[in-house]
Amino acid sequence: MHLLRGLKHLRSLQLDCKCLTEDVIVFLITHQGLQVLKGLRCGADRITTAMRRISPAQSFPALRVLDMHLDQTSIPLLLENVTTLQELRLTDVSPNAFETIGKLKGLTKLTLTVDEQEFGTLTDRHFYEFQSLCILRTLSISSVESYVHGIQDFKQTISALASGLPRLQELELLTSNIFDDDLLRTIGTECPLLHDLRIKDCRLNQADLEEGHNPLFRQLKTFDMRTLYLTGQHGDLI
């Protein structure tokens, strides 16, 4: 702790540590110059106790990049009053945290690994929380569950999400729901700057691949998928 207190000009910190003391947590949360924080794993009890010692307005006054593993109850405590955050990466996150994350209007890059087995199922409403992140350029959501059972209308939900992200350039949605040509065309229309798309399964009409057909995407440079199902005039080809 004595070493950290002397780092008044600290701008970036990366630690692989699970046993931070309450004093260290308070120091990091209230540091006036800290802009990048990566690698920490903090228990909810210590964060809750640390937050009682400070004003909510003091939380990460200059933080731009946060890459951590946080307990689901810690996310609202730490992030609800942060206004400077631009990049956020969280692992093993609960879908219930999407509401808090959706209020971080300054985000340009968001990467989430969702643990549905531990914390509950992703549903339509969770994706709608991100419609307000209108300056987002990179969005990556992957699920450790094999199938997102809670999304009742995947096409409508992802179309609505895309409509709120006009500046999106990179999209990674690694769930086992199948994308089709209509959904991809909607994403291409709503996100005209998109140049990187990564999904698992996709079903396309053969006509979409023929020369002269209106392209699904005009700026796309990278298109990664696990499985492509092609539908032709006489049914499935692949």
Side-chain angles (χ1 to χ4, degrees):
M1 184 61 191
H2 292 294
L3 171 64
L4 288 176
R5 287 194 185 279
L7 301 177
K8 295 182 180 180
H9 301 288
L10 185 68
R11 294 293 178 268
S12 178
L13 179 64
Q14 181 165 348
L15 291 174
D16 184 8
C17 181
K18 302 179 183 179
C19 302
L20 295 181
T21 66
E22 183 185 317
D23 286 341
V24 171
I25 294 173
V26 170
F27 170 80
L28 294 175
I29 292 174
T30 59
H31 195 290
Q32 294 296 312
L34 188 63
Q35 298 179 10
V36 179
L37 181 58
K38 295 183 177 182
L40 303 184
R41 298 173 66 96
C42 297
D45 292 343
R46 289 186 179 179
I47 289 179
T48 300
T49 305
M51 291 299 292
R52 290 180 183 144
R53 294 171 49 182
I54 66 174
S55 164
Q58 291 180 281
S59 300
F60 296 125
L63 196 67
R64 295 187 298 105
V65 179
L66 179 63
D67 182 345
M68 296 180 67
H69 175 96
L70 290 174
D71 184 273
Q72 62 170 334
T73 59
S74 302
I75 293 174
L77 286 173
L78 280 180
L79 301 183
E80 207 158 41
N81 294 285
V82 177
T83 59
T84 57
L85 203 59
Q86 298 175 8
E87 298 184 16
L88 178 62
R89 181 178 184 271
L90 298 175
T91 57
D92 300 331
V93 68
S94 164
N96 295 327
F98 280 37
E99 181 179 1
T100 298
I101 297 169
K103 297 175 182 178
L104 302 173
K105 303 297 178 60
L107 285 180
T108 60
K109 184 175 183 179
L110 176 59
T111 303
L112 301 174
T113 302
V114 182
D115 190 344
E116 295 185 85
Q117 295 173 330
E118 180 72 20
F119 298 119
T121 303
L122 272 170
T123 64
D124 306 73
R125 68 176 180 84
H126 293 123
F127 284 91
Y128 283 115
E129 300 288 356
F130 294 159
Q131 278 186 292
S132 59
L133 301 179
C134 58
I135 66 171
L136 202 64
R137 293 198 297 266
T138 299
L139 175 61
S140 173
I141 301 176
S142 56
S143 172
V144 299
E145 186 61 84
S146 61
Y147 190 81
V148 185
H149 299 283
I151 299 181
Q152 301 300 316
D153 191 335
F154 181 73
K155 184 186 297 187
Q156 179 178 328
T157 299
I158 301 304
S159 295
L161 173 65
S163 70
L165 308 177
R167 301 188 189 182
L168 199 65
Q169 299 176 19
E170 300 177 48
L171 177 61
E172 181 178 55
L173 287 177
L174 299 182
T175 69
S176 292
N177 302 88
I178 297 179
F179 288 71
D180 63 16
D181 51 350
D182 289 337
L183 178 54
L184 292 179
R185 195 174 301 282
T186 298
I187 294 173
T189 300
E190 300 290 353
C191 308
L193 303 179
L194 196 71
H195 60 70
D196 193 314
L197 179 61
R198 303 174 190 273
I199 58 178
K200 281 189 177 181
D201 300 327
C202 183
R203 183 184 299 277
L204 292 178
N205 191 295
Q206 186 182 18
D208 291 318
L209 305 180
E210 295 176 354
E211 187 176 357
H213 197 277
N214 291 331
L216 295 172
F217 302 96
R218 297 188 178 276
Q219 304 291 334
L220 204 64
K221 298 177 181 178
T222 301
F223 191 3
D224 287 353
M225 70 187 88
R226 182 184 64 183
T227 306
L228 172 63
Y229 302 96
L230 268 184
T231 301
Q233 186 177 2
H234 303 291
D236 290 347
L237 302 177
I238 298 178

